[in-house]
Amino acid sequence: MEEPRRLVFCATPLICLLLLPLLYTVFFRSNAVPFDQWKQQLSPWSGYGNTREVGEAVEDQQELNSVLRRLVRGDDRIQLDATGLACHSDLHTDVCVSNRPVRIDLRTMTVYAPHSFSESMPKANRIVRPYARKEDKTAMDLVSPVQILQGNITLPACHHTHYVPAIIFSSGGFIGNLFHEFNEIIIPLFITSHHFRSRLSFIITDFRPWFVRRYSQILAHLSHYETINPAVNGTVHCFPGAVVGLHYHDNLALNTTAIPGGYSMSDFRQQFLREAYNLKRQNLTETERPVLILISRSKTRMFLNEDDMVRMMEELGFRVVITLPHRMSNFSKFAKELNSCSVLVGAHGAGLTNALFLPPGAVLLQVVPLGLDWASTHYFGRPASEMGLQYVEYKIEPEESSLLELYGREHPVITNPASLFLKGYKVARAVYIDRQNLNINLTRFRETLVQALRLLGHSATMA
Ligand SMILES: *[C@@H]1O[C@H](CO)[C@@H](O)[C@H](O)[C@H]1NC(C)=O
Ligand SMILES: *[C@@H]1O[C@H](CO)[C@@H](O)[C@H](O)[C@H]1NC(C)=O
Ligand SMILES: *[C@@H]1O[C@H](CO)[C@@H](O)[C@H](O)[C@H]1NC(C)=O
Ligand SMILES: *[C@@H]1O[C@H](CO)[C@@H](O)[C@H](O)[C@H]1NC(C)=O
Ligand SMILES: *[C@@H]1O[C@H](CO)[C@@H](O)[C@H](O)[C@H]1NC(C)=O
Ligand SMILES: *[C@@H]1O[C@H](CO)[C@@H](O)[C@H](O)[C@H]1NC(C)=O
């Protein structure tokens, strides 16, 4: 490239030294930047930029490298070390990591990740949809692709240079549903980004302002830098490293051993959420009158005799708080209420995700409608134990389901739900999820509530 000119300028060592920073600026701000300049781009991770000592910058770079490296394992890590880019891939998600400087064109969502070892390497091209439900086509159709280019490529010029790495994820997919928001975005985001100690920027594709507002405390706690919306900020941004996509472990789950030095559900709940929402530690055995929060659904899986249920709960000694599922999604408001709640009661549904905010030892009481045993266990029952909560289930009888009247006692909908699921999830969903309401048998339900009280170490006042 500009070698001859540089030689002239560098006629004497002193002039050369003085001019280097200038040359650096000129060449780096010029248009399409040639490949070998990647080697020279200093990228102190600290955010203090040039004011820091070179030694510190090198340490920062090493530390940055180590937090990025831990996101890939085995052969992927070997590839990362060799080429500067590697992707972890499993049933649920793709996570691509670059531990060298990247340029991201936000207009086209293209990540330019050239590597500096074998420059003759041909162009490589990958497409990642950064949302952790890869196995679900319906969800992934709602997620925009991110293209990653590597190899001998022409680089666009940087409009903005960042000193912290970027994590790219989508707020598309199944957002609008609390379970999916935590399951596919918030928990995976925590798993992937917490160890950066807030020194990173989020680039959120399929950007929804309300989503970013709803989770503002969480996002602010995970990143001290501005969140970037590609639709508004359509320029080329340069980062010292990048991650495209989020790690995923299981339904509302964190697997401590899946990533070296990984986090547990208790790290997420007791430490992270508590700090993000400024919640006090609660000791439930000290509460005199346990608080029961009842999730009152208004479309499907409604409690048809809710008033009677509430009366009975109060007779048992609970202070009952009735809430609508959508009201609960303002966490800054609702988290404190959940944090002092002893029992959370609700029919199977996304509202039960609020159990994440219950204090340890609280009871999650899930009412399981007909046909939803599997989903109830996998989405909430098992995760509840991992959360350090006590879990009880109230499984309804056909007499308590509005489906009995609709279909009659002998219909497979009532006698054999599994046969409907064999016809496909959509068929089953239309019936059990969308068309079912519940008329709870108070005699039987009371026993389940007494059980919850016992688990809390209380005896029912009227029991
Ligand atoms: C890189 O690509 C350019 C243009 O596409 C080509 O002229 C050059 O020879 C390539 N360099 C290497 C090392 O392959
Ligand atoms: C949540 O509620 C608080 C307090 O009422 C309010 O100030 C805030 O704007 C609400 N947040 C959202 C995202 O609606
Ligand atoms: C784009 O991002 C840069 C750096 O993050 C910021 O300085 C600039 O104001 C943003 N532009 C818009 C239009 O948001
Ligand atoms: C956690 O991850 C490890 C390593 O990938 C795996 O062997 C183990 O089965 C996982 N544990 C659970 C409970 O999924
Ligand atoms: C909670 O309070 C009870 C009764 O005051 C006490 O015995 C127990 O040690 C406390 N537990 C914790 C974890 O502080
Ligand atoms: C309610 O449950 C009780 C106890 O299982 C049972 O004896 C009673 O028949 C049920 N009531 C109705 C209306 O089904």
Side-chain angles (χ1 to χ4, degrees):
M1 31 153 270
E2 323 272 346
E3 281 313 319
R5 234 200 296 169
R6 195 181 295 178
L7 282 176
V8 173
F9 277 125
C10 295
T12 77
L14 185 62
I15 292 176
C16 179
L17 269 179
L18 290 174
L19 284 180
L20 263 178
L22 178 68
L23 283 170
Y24 185 90
T25 315
V26 168
F27 291 151
F28 274 75
R29 304 289 160 186
S30 64
N31 285 331
V33 176
F35 189 78
D36 63 343
Q37 289 190 358
W38 285 94
K39 291 177 206 161
Q40 302 166 24
Q41 190 171 341
L42 262 185
S43 47
W45 186 22
S46 63
Y48 294 101
N50 304 331
T51 62
R52 302 198 85 197
E53 298 296 325
V54 170
E56 281 180 81
V58 170
E59 265 171 44
D60 285 337
Q61 188 66 47
Q62 280 169 355
E63 201 186 332
L64 170 59
N65 185 37
S66 80
V67 295
L68 287 163
R69 271 181 102 231
R70 72 191 272 291
L71 295 172
V72 287
R73 306 184 77 167
D75 289 348
D76 295 336
R77 188 176 289 176
I78 295 169
Q79 193 189 347
L80 181 70
D81 291 340
T83 71
L85 178 75
C87 298
H88 160 94
S89 192
D90 63 36
L91 177 64
H92 306 288
T93 192
D94 292 322
V95 183
C96 289
V97 177
S98 171
N99 61 355
R100 309 229 178 104
V102 298
R103 297 184 178 205
I104 304 178
D105 189 338
L106 297 176
R107 290 166 293 204
T108 54
M109 279 321 293
T110 304
V111 178
Y112 295 85
H115 65 101
S116 44
F117 284 50
S118 74
E119 298 188 359
S120 57
M121 192 182 133
K123 262 175 138 180
N125 190 347
R126 288 171 216 258
I127 302 284
V128 172
R129 288 177 194 266
Y131 183 77
R133 209 172 174 90
K134 195 174 137 189
E135 74 280 17
D136 191 325
K137 190 177 177 305
T138 313
M140 297 314 271
D141 282 347
L142 303 168
V143 178
S144 305
V146 174
Q147 178 171 240
I148 303 172
L149 297 177
Q150 191 189 24
N152 178 15
I153 44 182
T154 309
L155 302 168
C158 298
H159 297 121
H160 298 287
T161 301
H162 300 255
Y163 295 99
V164 293
I167 291 194
I168 302 178
F169 67 93
S170 168
S171 64
F174 287 152
I175 70 159
N177 174 304
L178 204 58
F179 171 81
H180 291 289
E181 289 166 13
F182 270 96
N183 187 55
E184 284 120 55
I185 302 180
I186 300 302
I187 293 176
L189 194 58
F190 175 80
I191 293 173
T192 312
S193 73
H194 189 47
H195 60 284
F196 286 83
R197 294 190 283 132
S198 307
R199 292 176 295 169
L200 80 171
S201 271
F202 293 132
I203 298 176
I204 308 184
T205 60
D206 308 306
F207 191 98
R208 305 280 187 283
W210 66 260
F211 177 87
V212 172
R213 266 200 308 278
R214 175 179 288 181
Y215 293 101
S216 57
Q217 272 104 329
I218 288 182
L219 295 174
H221 225 65
L222 287 172
S223 164
H224 289 160
Y225 295 80
E226 62 173 332
T227 294
I228 298 170
N229 173 4
V232 171
N233 208 321
T235 48
V236 178
H237 289 238
C238 294
F239 296 92
V243 179
V244 184
L246 304 175
H247 274 289
Y248 177 88
H249 294 158
D250 203 345
N251 291 310
L252 299 182
L254 296 91
N255 178 343
T256 323
T257 56
I259 297 179
Y263 303 105
S264 64
M265 179 52 94
S266 128
D267 293 329
F268 180 67
R269 268 168 43 79
Q270 315 305 350
Q271 189 227 324
F272 179 74
L273 286 184
R274 194 173 293 288
E275 278 174 23
Y277 289 95
N278 196 16
L279 302 171
K280 289 198 191 72
R281 281 187 193 285
Q282 291 286 337
N283 185 343
L284 287 179
T285 59
E286 285 175 339
T287 40
E288 296 219 327
R289 196 163 172 227
V291 173
L292 182 154
I293 296 182
L294 176 68
I295 302 173
S296 172
R297 300 180 54 97
S298 55
K299 280 192 197 130
T300 140
R301 286 161 283 145
M302 272 188 289
F303 293 127
L304 298 172
N305 56 341
E306 194 169 282
D307 292 348
D308 295 336
M309 290 167 73
V310 170
R311 207 167 303 124
M312 188 259 286
M313 288 162 171
E314 285 172 343
E315 279 169 18
L316 282 173
F318 288 108
R319 184 164 78 76
V320 180
V321 177
I322 301 170
T323 185
L324 310 171
H326 71 258
R327 231 202 78 205
M328 306 177 83
S329 56
N330 185 340
F331 303 116
S332 52
K333 208 158 147 184
F334 207 64
K336 286 189 176 61
E337 230 171 307
L338 282 161
N339 185 45
S340 56
C341 161
S342 292
V343 185
L344 179 66
V345 178
H348 172 76
L352 296 180
T353 312
N354 284 289
L356 282 165
F357 290 92
L358 293 175
V363 177
L364 173 65
L365 195 170
Q366 178 170 221
V367 175
V368 181
L370 280 193
L372 298 178
D373 301 45
W374 187 92
S376 297
T377 303
H378 285 84
Y379 296 155
F380 300 109
R382 282 198 199 153
S385 327
E386 288 297 312
M387 288 176 207
L389 301 175
Q390 314 195 68
Y391 176 70
V392 285
E393 218 168 70
Y394 179 82
K395 208 162 131 32
I396 70 156
E397 298 287 343
E399 289 73 23
E400 297 169 270
S401 172
S402 62
L403 296 175
L404 186 68
E405 206 176 302
L406 275 177
Y407 291 91
R409 185 168 292 279
E410 304 308 322
H411 196 279
V413 161
I414 305 297
T415 58
N416 188 5
S419 69
L420 254 83
F421 280 90
L422 284 178
K423 290 185 185 164
Y425 178 70
K426 280 198 178 131
V427 177
R429 184 194 161 96
V431 176
Y432 298 113
I433 299 251
D434 295 339
R435 208 184 302 162
Q436 179 167 211
N437 291 317
L438 314 168
N439 198 353
I440 300 298
N441 177 335
L442 295 180
T443 317
R444 213 160 65 82
F445 191 55
R446 189 175 194 281
E447 289 164 25
T448 308
L449 285 168
V450 169
Q451 187 193 344
L453 276 172
R454 280 203 206 99
L455 287 173
L456 289 167
H458 288 267
S459 52
T461 51
M462 316 281 292

